[in-house]
Amino acid sequence: MTTSHTGRWTMKAIVVTDQAAGTAGMKLVERPEPQAATNDVVVQVHASGFTWDELTWPSTWTDRLGLTGRRLFPGRSWPEWLPLSATARRGCRWDSGCSASRTRIAAATLAEYAAVEARNLAPLPGDVDFTVGASVAMPGLTAWQGLFEHGRLQAGQSVLVHGAAGAVGTMVTQLAREFGAYVIGTGRAADRQKALDFGAQEFVDLENDVLEDVGGIDLVFDVIGGDIGKRSARLIRAGGTLVTIAGPTEARPADGLAIDFVLVSDRAQLSQIVQRVRDGRLRTNIGNIATLDDAVAAFNRTERRKGKTIIRVRP
């Protein structure tokens, strides 16, 4: 960090102010270090997760006061624990969090420092690497809550996981298998082996196979939406559930539930997820890793993204 003409410390941060420009409008700049409000803690960020479509989310452009159009620093894999992997200024290791509301966020972490509400802080175990911590929170909590809170998954049920090779899909697959479900993954042909490697027992190529051939599914976990979401509703057997993070579904199961959910920060659940990573029951799905200096280029790659994009703010 350096000092500005005002005497305040400055930091590096990724700034975006033009919603229409998307990731192409991101810039690496110097900004004043954040100031802690009442009940806040300023944390030093080591690693941060970023979701490829984050700049399209309404919450990205809403600040902590509920004011729109003032968004500066992205990078929190909404609404996961923030800053995902960080070190508190007083020297403790932390994994910090944010509200799950669509219109209220606690911090953004594509920056060297972030101000976070203290109540949303939880410890990051010392044997968990910062990059792993940044990759596990949002996908893990999304999978956990979708399967168990909203999907009410039971052993012996069948689960259809869309996007089974993605960051969320691989978590859903592994947790569903652990709890005794039969898992069918979907995706592109190139995703087949990865989905199977993470535990899917069957795979449906959405470009070449017939999705409707699977039929009779207890739980569909949808991360795609659109036409795939509509077609998936027809696959649910009586009493089954379609859970989605792709927004309200246009179709509902004839004799079942359709649930569009937004994850909430939950320390107990996160602790269970992290413990599974520590003892080898869960593997993270990390794609590209880049430094903060190279973050803008990483977000504007032309090739297809695979796995979670992680920005190492500090080596």
Side-chain angles (χ1 to χ4, degrees), residues 24-240:
M26 287 181 164
K27 295 179 181 179
L28 179 65
V29 299
E30 291 279 337
R31 282 289 187 270
E33 178 186 339
Q35 300 297 300
T38 303
N39 299 320
D40 277 1
V41 173
V42 174
V43 295
Q44 187 181 56
V45 180
H46 277 244
S48 179
F50 182 80
T51 300
W52 67 273
D53 61 345
E54 183 175 321
L55 298 183
T56 67
W57 301 338
S59 60
T60 298
W61 302 93
T62 306
D63 66 15
R64 294 174 62 179
L65 298 177
L67 301 176
T68 60
R70 293 173 47 177
R71 185 75 177 148
L72 289 178
F73 311 144
R76 68 226 184 275
S77 295
W78 163 83
E80 70 185 310
W81 291 57
L82 298 176
L84 314 185
S85 280
T87 300
R89 294 291 298 280
R90 57 178 177 272
C92 300
R93 292 167 62 93
W94 295 97
D95 194 17
S96 61
C98 74
S99 166
S101 166
R102 289 182 183 272
T103 58
R104 182 171 178 273
I105 57 172
T109 55
L110 288 179
E112 293 179 303
Y113 291 88
V116 184
E117 291 181 89
R119 65 176 180 169
N120 291 323
L121 292 170
L124 178 70
D127 60 350
V128 177
D129 181 78
F130 288 118
T131 299
V132 172
S135 69
V136 72
M138 186 279 288
L141 286 174
T142 300
W144 189 282
Q145 292 171 18
L147 287 173
F148 307 127
E149 290 191 355
H150 304 293
R152 305 291 183 181
L153 180 66
Q154 301 293 320
Q157 290 186 325
S158 56
V159 180
L160 181 68
V161 183
H162 289 309
V168 172
T170 51
M171 282 287 178
V172 173
T173 297
Q174 293 175 89
L175 287 171
R177 285 293 308 274
E178 178 187 344
F179 282 81
Y182 185 86
V183 177
I184 304 170
T186 79
R188 301 181 182 182
D191 298 329
R192 179 184 300 273
Q193 192 56 53
K194 187 173 186 179
L196 296 175
D197 289 344
F198 272 93
Q201 289 145 295
E202 294 183 39
F203 184 82
V204 177
D205 176 354
L206 292 177
E207 295 175 324
N208 299 296
D209 297 333
V210 179
L211 177 62
E212 287 72 16
D213 284 349
V214 299
I217 298 296
D218 294 299
L219 174 61
V220 173
F221 200 116
D222 179 29
V223 301
I224 300 175
D227 181 63
I228 294 297
K230 291 171 62 176
R231 293 164 62 190
S232 296
R234 297 192 289 268
L235 306 178
I236 303 293
R237 61 165 48 111

